[in-house]
Amino acid sequence: MSYKSEYDLSITQPEKFWMEKASKLPWYNQPQNILSKDNNGVHRWFEDGVMNTCYMAVDYHVEQGLGEQIAIFYDSPVTNSKSSYTYRQLRDEVALFAGVLAEQGVGKGDRVVIYMPMVAEAVIAMLAVARLGAIHSVVFGGFAPHELAMRIDDAEPKVLVTASCGIEVSKIIEYKPYVDEAIRQAKHKVEHCIVLQREQSKAELIAGRDLDWHTAISAATPASCVPVKGTDPLYILYTSGTTGKPKGVVRDNGGHAVALHYSMDAVYNMKQGEVFWAASDVGWVVGHSYIVYGPLLKGCTTIVYEGKPIRTPDASAFWRVAQEYNVKTLFAAPTAFRAIRKEDPEATLLADFPLQNLQTIFMAGERLDPPTYQWTCEKTGKPVIDHWWQTETGWAICANMLGIERKPAKPGSATLPVPGFDVQILDDEGKHMPPCKQGSIAIKLPMPPGCLPTIWGNQDRFVAGYLTQNPGYYCSGDGGYKDEDGYVFIMGRTDDVINVAGHRLSTGEMEEILAAHPAVAECSVIGVHDSLKGQVPIGMVLLKDGVDIDEAKLQAELIANVRHEIGPIACFSRAIVVQRLPKTRSGKILRKLLRQISAGEPYNIPSTIDDPESVTEIASIMDKQGLITIEKAS
Ligand code: COA
Ligand code: AMP
């Protein structure tokens, strides 16, 4: 099979294409209505299919005789512990925890928020929610109580599942006080909180509201899988947009299962029984798709790794895990490899790990810079594949499709559109750009299965954010170009979203926090190049008239505020005071211009600018502060 024939079929006959892919999964009722439109006019896949994602990912494999195969390896250098679950054990644990949730009143369509570290119980909780036909919303553990509270108010969960603590290298992060604070801040009242007590730190439970995970499990009756429709939601995952309020990306059951199942083979060339390791966190989309659902839907073995690429204990961590579990495919963010390279530039620690089973390293989540690409190829001797995707799509939009036909790699490119994604480069007026000309990357509708059908509780935001810019297209928010061979090059966000260590963050949200400081009149936060984390946010603040404050003190307060409101994961560590910010005559700060200056890109000073000299002034300040980067090729 050639990539071209597969891709062309997916675009010219999408229903035929996806019906065939869907038929490979164990539905209770196979879908007949493959592609339809909902009441909002949005394309939906497999509307009349009846299924359960947990059944497809777990129970079905046990029924097929894979009960004794390992489903999950849990490896935790931070607690010095390891364990594993066969598919049978996983099914039994999930059924019991689903019983616990059902006992707390969770049923089809109810929401459950999961705020947990990287422990196998996080995966069990997700699958248990899916088993009941309920909807999970996993919140990354590095987010502060305020972020958790916003998500609680938006998702309105019946139950929250958490752990007493997480461990960051050697630091114990008490989760429970964060949860208590978030529940206190939220307007929506969570009825029950289930707490996994970890021996590193036991949490205090609130009588009547909190339940101990293990006690609850020991009294539980296993729950069966609840049939849902293909278009019923499986989860909500919040991601950063351009405003302070995160967007609840909705994922449906049917399209998600079909897309991920297909991708395991087509993109990653994974077969049942093989070991796939996505070194991410269940709090991110990569964790949802490729720690949990993708590998399990395919009957593979997945790894829940509670550690870092470095310092747990050293820069050999990835090699050790890949070796120990016979990993065939490793998927991680470029930041992780930059961290390893920084600690062990010659990769001397690799010498102890022949990695004979490791076939490919996939990277995504942020731009794969050519030096990191080259270093990883050279030191590991393994093919490194850059692929591009987003929380919204849930799986790769562009990739080198190893399971179909391997194409020659081009550094800096995420290769070719994945079947189902009709990727186009458009200019500001929506016209198609010629090869090698940069524009907005848009995807012609319909998007393939697995992509978001809406934003939770906010259809207007979905339409305004993604469908309005170019009618008939999904706007990705990324800019880039296609070369003469159709290879796609992603050049970065065209909006105010930044990517810090592969984590997507909103500069708009940080600006709201800075602006709330009593000394700050106006501000702008932009992402600047960072050799480890890809980008880090920096704030430029204008003080209110008459304010006299020590700059270092102000900076410390702003840093503390961002940490307190968003969490340490924002990596906000620098704020500089400026006298002027470039603005339009209507008072809008020219953020794009600031980004371009910082990235060392050519820029035009818009005719609408209020004070052209402010541009020269800010460029000079950014230069003096070392905030202008022109990325070098090696
Ligand atoms: N719970 C609580 N706090 C967390 C957390 C979690 N799950 N994850 C990170 N944090 C905290 C860290 O402890 C750190 O806090 P500090 O400022 O008090 O030290 C802060 O958030 C920033 O964390 P991080 O960005 O992870 O920086 P780091 O210096 O600890 O580690 C790397 C650097 C490169 C090793 C790390 O960023 C990394 O592994 N990156 C890859 C991330 C990844 O896989 N992204 C892909 C998502 S698809
Ligand atoms: P997230 O939704 O957190 O997965 O972040 C998605 C964003 O990360 C995309 O819109 C891109 O800006 C960026 N991104 C993801 N993968 C890549 C990649 N391979 N190359 C460049 N940028 C990427």
Side-chain angles (χ1 to χ4, degrees):
M1 186 203 337
S2 73
Y3 162 78
K4 187 170 178 336
S5 60
E6 177 92 349
Y7 181 77
D8 289 351
L9 184 65
S10 78
I11 301 300
T12 54
Q13 297 185 62
E15 291 176 75
K16 179 172 179 219
F17 183 88
W18 289 111
M19 183 161 79
E20 194 264 324
K21 307 302 173 204
S23 70
K24 298 191 170 148
L25 281 159
W27 301 75
Y28 299 135
N29 289 339
Q30 285 281 339
Q32 306 301 320
N33 189 2
I34 304 301
L35 180 62
S36 52
K37 280 194 176 176
D38 63 19
N39 293 339
N40 296 313
V42 175
H43 290 101
R44 305 298 298 263
W45 293 95
F46 315 120
E47 193 267 334
D48 62 349
V50 181
M51 59 167 306
N52 180 283
T53 296
C54 177
Y55 171 75
M56 287 178 166
V58 184
D59 300 50
Y60 174 70
H61 300 309
V62 182
E63 288 172 12
Q64 294 300 301
L66 301 182
E68 304 321 310
Q69 186 196 303
I70 300 294
I72 301 178
F73 282 118
Y74 164 64
D75 186 294
S76 172
V78 295
T79 58
N80 205 15
S81 57
K82 295 174 189 176
S83 60
S84 63
Y85 294 77
T86 62
Y87 270 97
R88 187 185 308 283
Q89 288 167 330
L90 182 62
R91 181 202 57 189
D92 294 347
E93 290 286 321
V94 168
L96 276 178
F97 193 65
V100 171
L101 292 171
E103 190 67 22
Q104 303 312 309
V106 175
K108 192 169 169 177
D110 289 332
R111 275 79 61 209
V112 175
V113 163
I114 300 172
Y115 182 72
M116 292 184 96
M118 278 294 288
V119 288
E121 286 83 353
V123 179
I124 291 170
M126 291 165 77
L127 291 165
V129 174
R131 192 174 189 85
L132 297 175
I135 303 166
H136 58 70
S137 185
V138 183
V139 180
F140 177 64
F143 280 124
H146 172 68
E147 291 284 330
L148 181 57
M150 280 201 285
R151 287 155 173 79
I152 290 174
D153 276 337
D154 200 70
E156 301 183 317
K158 260 206 171 132
V159 171
L160 190 150
V161 185
T162 189
S164 54
C165 67
I167 298 115
E168 276 291 296
V169 188
S170 56
K171 202 171 39 176
I172 292 183
I173 314 278
E174 310 279 354
Y175 275 40
K176 186 59 181 7
Y178 288 177
V179 168
D180 291 341
E181 174 57 18
I183 292 179
R184 196 191 62 71
Q185 284 181 22
K187 289 187 200 71
H188 170 79
K189 283 301 148 219
V190 175
E191 289 166 31
H192 296 288
C193 191
I194 303 171
V195 184
L196 177 75
Q197 295 280 23
R198 306 189 74 192
E199 63 185 47
Q200 291 72 22
S201 170
K202 296 262 164 44
E204 261 184 46
L205 302 189
I206 296 176
R209 190 197 72 187
D210 298 347
L211 270 95
D212 172 78
W213 173 294
H214 292 294
T215 315
I217 285 259
S218 62
T221 319
S224 323
C225 295
V226 174
V228 296
K229 277 176 27 177
T231 44
D232 283 336
L234 169 68
Y235 70 76
I236 308 166
L237 179 59
Y238 288 87
T239 191
S240 300
T242 46
T243 67
K245 191 169 185 278
K247 303 187 267 200
V249 167
V250 174
R251 191 88 58 216
D252 60 14
N253 276 275
H256 173 254
V258 173
L260 292 192
H261 185 261
Y262 171 65
S263 73
M264 286 302 290
D265 227 325
V267 178
Y268 302 104
N269 194 24
M270 291 296 297
K271 310 289 172 236
Q272 178 259 310
E274 295 175 335
V275 185
F276 189 90
W277 178 30
S280 177
D281 186 290
V282 287
W284 307 114
V285 67
V286 174
H288 280 62
S289 295
Y290 294 110
I291 294 174
V292 186
Y293 291 109
L296 297 181
L297 283 161
K298 189 69 192 171
C300 293
T301 299
T302 188
I303 300 178
V304 173
Y305 173 67
E306 191 179 23
K308 299 251 176 188
I310 51 170
R311 292 184 279 136
T312 55
D314 58 27
S316 72
F318 273 24
W319 319 137
R320 196 262 308 159
V321 173
Q323 185 74 38
E324 194 168 328
Y325 301 103
N326 285 329
V327 170
K328 178 181 175 190
T329 301
L330 164 60
F331 176 175
T335 301
F337 291 91
R338 283 197 294 271
I340 297 170
R341 178 186 176 204
K342 201 167 163 210
E343 299 267 305
D344 183 19
E346 294 312 315
T348 48
L349 296 170
L350 236 176
D352 295 334
F353 305 98
L355 302 181
Q356 59 276 53
N357 281 303
L358 184 67
Q359 289 195 3
T360 320
I361 299 173
F362 278 84
M363 298 207 207
E366 57 179 321
R367 182 164 173 264
L368 173 55
D369 52 295
T372 305
Y373 171 78
Q374 272 141 13
W375 183 86
T376 314
C377 289
E378 192 189 306
K379 299 300 177 200
T380 63
K382 309 290 175 188
V384 172
I385 302 213
D386 181 11
H387 61 330
W388 170 57
W389 52 303
Q390 310 183 313
T391 304
E392 288 85 343
T393 62
W395 64 301
I397 310 163
C398 289
N400 202 338
M401 309 282 297
L402 290 198
I404 299 178
E405 180 194 353
R406 183 146 164 197
K407 294 283 187 184
K410 295 191 188 185
S413 170
T415 320
L416 295 161
V418 165
F421 288 99
D422 187 351
V423 177
Q424 303 290 339
I425 313 294
L426 305 179
D427 70 10
D428 290 344
E429 271 99 52
K431 296 206 189 71
H432 291 265
M433 300 293 276
C436 301
K437 290 280 178 227
Q438 212 167 304
S440 304
I441 311 183
I443 301 164
K444 192 159 187 284
L445 301 177
M447 301 254 273
C451 302
L452 83 171
T454 190
I455 296 291
W456 181 255
N458 202 339
Q459 175 67 13
D460 290 349
R461 191 170 182 193
F462 173 62
V463 174
Y466 300 103
L467 304 181
T468 308
Q469 289 85 340
N470 301 112
Y473 290 86
Y474 163 87
C475 167
S476 73
D478 279 305
Y481 64 92
K482 280 191 196 176
D483 73 4
E484 306 281 359
D485 301 321
Y487 276 55
V488 181
F489 291 74
I490 314 298
M491 302 309 288
R493 300 287 306 189
T494 52
D495 56 15
D496 295 328
V497 166
I498 58 170
N499 222 301
V500 180
H503 306 138
R504 179 165 154 183
L505 297 163
S506 160
T507 53
E509 183 174 11
M510 293 184 218
E511 286 175 4
E512 285 177 21
I513 297 166
L514 302 198
H517 190 283
V520 174
E522 276 183 293
C523 64
S524 182
V525 174
I526 58 165
V528 299
H529 177 79
D530 181 81
S531 61
L532 175 63
K533 298 191 176 183
Q535 280 186 306
V536 286
I538 64 130
M540 283 176 267
V541 297
L542 264 168
L543 298 184
K544 285 184 183 155
D545 282 348
V547 165
D548 182 20
I549 183 167
D550 176 63
E551 202 167 327
K553 181 170 176 286
L554 174 68
Q555 171 169 278
E557 287 173 9
L558 295 175
I559 293 171
N561 290 355
V562 175
R563 257 184 108 84
H564 183 257
E565 295 286 302
I566 299 180
I569 202 70
C571 297
F572 182 83
S573 62
R574 205 155 161 210
I576 52 174
V577 174
V578 296
Q579 305 309 319
R580 288 188 287 188
L581 281 167
K583 284 199 255 177
T584 60
R585 279 190 282 276
S586 59
K588 204 167 164 278
I589 297 173
L590 292 160
R591 291 179 172 78
K592 185 172 169 201
L593 185 68
L594 293 172
R595 284 202 303 267
Q596 287 173 318
I597 298 173
S598 158
E601 288 171 12
Y603 54 86
N604 294 321
I605 300 180
S607 55
T608 51
I609 197 157
D610 181 39
D611 173 9
E613 272 180 25
S614 61
V615 179
T616 338
E617 186 180 303
I618 204 84
S620 151
I621 294 174
M622 285 164 80
D623 192 24
K624 279 199 202 108
Q625 299 266 350
L627 300 176
I628 299 185
T629 322
I630 299 163
E631 197 185 322
K632 306 208 171 41
S634 61

